[in-house]
Amino acid sequence: MKLTILKDHLIESIGHVSKAISSRTTIPILTGIKIDATVSGVTLTASDTDISIQSFTPSENGNIKIIDLFIAGSVVLPAKFFIEIIRKLPAQLIEIEVHANFQTILRSGSSEIQIMGLDPDEYPLLPEIEESKMIRLPSDLLKTMVKQTSYAVSTNESTPILTGVLWNISGDKLKFIACDRHRLASREVSIDNESSHNLPNIVISGRTLNELSKILPDQNSLIDIVIADNQVLFKIHSILFYSRILDGTYPDTSKLIPQSFQTEMSFRPKSLLKRSIALICYPGKTRRTLSK
């Protein structure tokens, strides 16, 4: 394999896939980033078995030449060293050349660095997901729903199902529910009824959703969400984000919040937040103010 690639585009792609790299994995090759170079572009892949991310960089973007491919091929490079080296290379054009036994040379400006790569054939294949069960959500809405619920997931691994967010899909409604036995957060939105037909309820790790949220675009672009038996795939432009679905049955939380109340209060959230901050910072003074 031999190619040249613009540094900024390579760093952006590395930034996406690096969220799926774990140093605690029991599979040594998963501590690396897989690089696949073809005529159409370069694909980077990283996985920690729970999350897998693929990021594709095209050879051209309009009139801008991003990649020059001389020899197609693949290699797996140790993520920690590869990421550090790429960020410190001096020039905007980076050359990657792979020799026998996956010995890889990185050149940029006057710098030349050698890294021992790994056999890409030993890298686990990503799951094949049939796109028969799919919903579509605006990116900014999905990011907001994750933010409003994922904080309430449990951090206690003794009950793994509660470390995730329940996606309750019923008719044309999608509801996120998270509960750690002390807090409960939920958010419900309307979705396309046809695309949500016969879709199962799923539970996705809160940590996974927080990592997904970091790469979701802020603008109002549509995200395809494909649901399979034990995997869910988020298709974000040139990024494929795979997540494992948590096993188990999520507890019924519908009866935790009473439907009738003795007292109801309405308040402005910002005003309440300011009073709460003041109570924490100046407890004595705030008590006197509130008592008046």
Side-chain angles (χ1 to χ4, degrees):
M1 184 180 85
K2 183 177 180 180
L3 59 91
T4 60
I5 184 171
L6 295 180
K7 178 180 177 180
D8 290 344
H9 291 269
L10 180 57
I11 288 178
E12 181 181 4
S13 190
I14 288 173
H16 294 319
V17 302
S18 62
K19 296 174 177 60
I21 297 171
S22 173
S23 58
R24 296 176 296 176
T25 181
T26 57
I27 307 173
I29 201 166
L30 291 184
T31 60
I33 294 176
K34 184 182 179 184
I35 304 174
D36 293 295
T38 64
V39 175
S40 57
V42 170
T43 301
L44 302 188
T45 305
S47 176
D48 65 358
T49 67
D50 288 330
I51 304 173
S52 300
I53 304 176
Q54 268 193 348
S55 179
F56 176 73
T57 303
S59 297
E60 297 180 359
N61 185 6
N63 296 325
I64 301 175
K65 188 72 172 178
I66 301 173
I67 299 167
D68 272 319
L69 181 68
F70 304 102
I71 303 173
S74 302
V75 69
V76 177
L77 298 179
K80 180 180 178 181
F81 299 111
F82 181 57
I83 294 171
E84 290 179 357
I85 290 169
I86 293 299
R87 288 174 177 167
K88 293 178 181 179
L89 289 177
Q92 280 300 311
L93 193 63
I94 297 173
E95 180 181 320
I96 303 175
E97 185 175 3
V98 180
H99 294 279
N101 299 320
F102 306 104
Q103 182 183 20
T104 303
I105 299 176
L106 304 177
R107 299 186 182 94
S108 178
S110 58
S111 299
E112 180 175 305
I113 300 165
Q114 295 187 17
I115 305 177
M116 286 306 301
L118 299 171
D119 186 352
D121 292 336
E122 296 180 5
Y123 202 89
L125 296 176
L126 294 182
E128 295 183 3
I129 296 180
E130 183 181 351
E131 299 188 10
S132 59
K133 299 178 181 179
M134 183 177 71
I135 59 175
R136 184 170 290 169
L137 287 176
S139 173
D140 54 350
L141 175 60
L142 178 56
K143 181 179 285 191
T144 299
M145 293 179 71
V146 170
K147 181 180 179 181
Q148 292 175 337
T149 55
S150 61
Y151 72 89
V153 300
S154 174
T155 56
N156 189 346
E157 294 292 340
S158 63
T159 51
I161 197 69
L162 292 182
T163 64
V165 176
L166 171 66
W167 292 42
N168 186 299
I169 305 169
S170 178
D172 62 349
K173 300 292 184 182
L174 169 63
K175 189 174 186 179
F176 280 17
I177 299 173
C179 182
D180 64 357
R181 292 195 176 96
H182 301 287
R183 300 174 297 180
L184 186 148
S186 68
R187 172 70 191 274
E188 185 176 81
V189 297
S190 297
I191 56 177
D192 180 11
N193 188 40
E194 292 183 4
S195 65
S196 60
H197 183 63
N198 291 329
L199 289 179
N201 293 340
I202 58 174
V203 182
I204 303 176
S205 164
R207 182 186 72 86
T208 296
L209 290 175
N210 285 328
E211 294 298 337
L212 171 68
S213 182
K214 294 175 184 178
I215 62 176
L216 286 173
D218 293 325
Q219 63 268 27
N220 188 18
S221 55
L222 291 176
I223 306 300
D224 289 336
I225 305 168
V226 185
I227 301 172
D229 293 336
N230 61 353
Q231 292 279 338
V232 60
L233 167 63
F234 298 87
K235 302 175 74 173
I236 312 163
H237 300 311
S238 59
I239 302 171
L240 299 180
F241 188 107
Y242 296 82
S243 170
R244 184 175 62 87
I245 295 174
L246 297 183
D247 296 326
T249 302
Y250 203 87
D252 182 10
T253 60
S254 60
K255 298 179 181 179
L256 292 180
I257 300 179
Q259 299 302 311
S260 59
F261 310 95
Q262 293 181 346
T263 305
E264 289 190 38
M265 296 176 61
S266 298
F267 54 84
R268 292 184 176 88
K270 290 184 179 180
S271 176
L272 179 64
L273 181 60
K274 289 180 180 178
R275 287 295 183 94
S276 300
I277 294 173
L279 186 62
I280 294 171
C281 298
Y282 310 102
K285 182 177 179 181
T286 308
R287 286 196 193 97
R288 291 193 294 273
T289 303
L290 293 176
S291 64
K292 295 178 182 179

